[in-house]
Amino acid sequence: QVQLVESGGGLVQAGGSLRLSCAASGRTFSSYAMGWFRQAPGKEREFVAGISWSGGRRYYADSVKGRFTISRDNDKNTVYLQMNSLKPEDTAVYYCAAELRDTIVVVTSHWDYWGQGTQVTVSS
């Protein structure tokens, strides 16, 4: 079992920044991939970013490339999502997820564990 707890969401003006954190507990954190997804009202949950267990592979959705950065600290069992140049269309509930086979895919059903989500609201 893996427990994931997100934090760092909030209200920010367009152009601002936020850093989300996801603390993991349970299994060995450094053995699995981590990802961030988001879900806006009335829309399906979508992939935002993913990082392999070593941090050597990172992937981003086209919509956030150049603005968001995913990172992890295996000593702290935490994954981060630094979000810069935020836009109103980034408004969503953001979820972190864990994938035990260290593969990163955009399909939500592939991921094994999920956090409860944290709200990010970007005002125009």
Side-chain angles (χ1 to χ4, degrees):
Q1 283 286 345
V2 174
Q3 293 79 42
L4 303 172
V5 179
E6 302 97 334
S7 61
L11 173 64
V12 64
Q13 288 189 332
S17 298
L18 281 175
R19 188 176 81 154
L20 305 184
S21 300
C22 174
S25 61
R27 297 175 62 128
T28 305
F29 179 75
S30 60
S31 66
Y32 47 86
M34 295 295 296
W36 286 96
F37 289 73
R38 66 186 181 187
Q39 188 167 18
K43 294 188 177 181
E44 292 187 353
R45 192 170 298 187
E46 64 175 2
F47 175 82
V48 174
I51 187 168
S52 61
W53 71 268
S54 68
R57 291 177 287 123
R58 307 184 193 200
Y59 303 96
Y60 298 92
D62 288 342
S63 59
V64 306
K65 278 181 183 175
R67 299 188 299 122
F68 291 10
T69 302
I70 189 170
S71 61
R72 66 190 295 162
D73 186 334
N74 287 344
D75 290 334
K76 296 182 178 179
N77 290 355
T78 301
V79 64
Y80 304 96
L81 186 67
Q82 177 67 44
M83 305 186 295
N84 298 328
S85 302
L86 283 161
K87 304 175 181 179
E89 51 263 43
D90 294 318
T91 295
V93 177
Y94 282 71
Y95 299 88
C96 72
E99 198 285 333
L100 301 183
R101 294 161 295 280
D102 197 34
T103 57
I104 302 169
V105 297
V106 302
V107 178
T108 56
S109 59
H110 182 78
W111 295 76
D112 299 300
Y113 296 96
W114 293 86
Q116 83 290 347
T118 185
Q119 176 71 47
V120 171
T121 303
V122 184
S123 63
S124 57

